[in-house]
Amino acid sequence: MNKVITISREFGSGGREFGRRLAEELGFDYYDKEIISEIAKKTSMSEEFIKEVTDKKPHNLFPITFGHTFIYIDNYYPLHQANDIYIEQNNIIKEMAQRSNCIIIGRCADYILEDKDPFRIFVYADMESKVKRCKERAPEGENLNDKELRKKINSVNKGRAQYYEYYTGRNWGDKLNYDLCINTTNANIKELVEVVAKLFK
Amino acid sequence: MNKVITISREFGSGGREFGRRLAEELGFDYYDKEIISEIAKKTSMSEEFIKEVTDKKPHNLFPITFGHTFIYIDNYYPLHQANDIYIEQNNIIKEMAQRSNCIIIGRCADYILEDKDPFRIFVYADMESKVKRCKERAPEGENLNDKELRKKINSVNKGRAQYYEYYTGRNWGDKLNYDLCINTTNANIKELVEVVAKLFK
């Protein structure tokens, strides 16, 4: 049976870099945005839309009425689309785990693959460290101050928590859902990966 | 500088066995009940009393009055004694960390040694696994059923949490206070230690 490592991570904790480097170090396949691309191919939805849907809790599209006019809330999408995407994501993640030794980032993979007994890692850090990391890796043109970054970090992580809780019924980040929780506060991810990789060799 | 690993652990998680075996595997000194014995020597209090005091949150000894009679609540002890013990514990743990590479179990060592940057581990497990472990290792003559064991486990862990929070102002078991959190649910501690020891070699 293939070895599968799932990595859930707080935004800003360096969990994605951790996963990518760990996959390189172990010679495992690495799935992150690839999952979005595969869902897009299979559903004919845009990657952007799928990314948005899988980044937060789905909402029912309740139209609001003003007098005789229906108004749909901006940025909301119908629940059934979110559920279709989740089902597709479910199939794709199971196929990936079947294919080869791999590391899968986020997307409820720890829950979806539960019967395959993956090794489940949660990567986290303190707020100061997350702000620092976000600053160092800010996308071109983004120039948020510390307060704005804290707000963004909290918002992204809240979305991840709600999405996870909606589909799994579990608390995102609750230690009991993971085999190992790794604190990256003040850590050099490259050095950390060299050490953690030993666990799998 | 000596390498110091602190291990906080949920009652029933096998954290003590994990620590003892890890110390053996790494050739580190191991401090657990030894801390109580040293405090007893230095304070001339009994080991039993010290163990009781360091197992839960200290209380002020408020006498309750019934009419003209003072009544002291049973099992409570004066706050100043608890604080004397904490201060002695503090000194002893610092001496131990100074002496050699070592593993220290519980007793707020992660907080007390903070400026020495110890590697801080938290060991935990799900309730079913904790009940199973407690049954396997029940002291002679103890014959609790599952419900009673769950109650005991919750009570011991509540005491540990309150003691830790009282002296450190932090939440016991909060991931952010540890470098690594290890889930021992369904794990064989001996095998787990062989793997985790690689991190320190």
Side-chain angles (χ1 to χ4, degrees), chain B residues 19-28 190 193-195 197-198 201:
Chain B
R20 190 177 45 75
R21 287 187 183 275
L22 188 60
E24 275 170 22
E25 186 76 22
L26 297 174
F28 281 23
K190 198 173 165 223
V193 164
E194 281 167 19
V195 175
K198 293 181 193 171
K201 283 179 176 172

Side-chain angles (χ1 to χ4, degrees), chain A residues 120 122 124-126 173 175-176 178-183 195-196 198-199 201, chain B residues 120 122 124-126 173 175-176 178-183 195-196 198-199 201:
Chain A
R120 306 157 302 165
F122 189 83
Y124 63 101
D126 71 14
K175 295 192 297 290
L176 277 174
Y178 312 98
D179 298 298
L180 203 65
C181 302
I182 300 175
N183 191 343
V195 176
V196 174
K198 293 180 193 173
L199 298 177
K201 284 178 175 172
Chain B
R120 303 158 304 166
F122 189 83
Y124 63 102
D126 71 13
K175 295 193 296 292
L176 277 174
Y178 312 98
D179 298 297
L180 203 65
C181 302
I182 301 175
N183 190 343
V195 175
V196 175
K198 293 181 193 171
L199 298 176
K201 283 179 176 172

Side-chain angles (χ1 to χ4, degrees), chain A residues 86 108 110-112 163-172:
Chain A
Y86 184 78
C108 309
D110 54 305
Y111 179 80
I112 291 168
Y163 182 81
Y164 184 83
E165 282 161 36
Y166 184 84
Y167 283 110
T168 70
R170 296 180 179 176
N171 288 328
W172 184 75

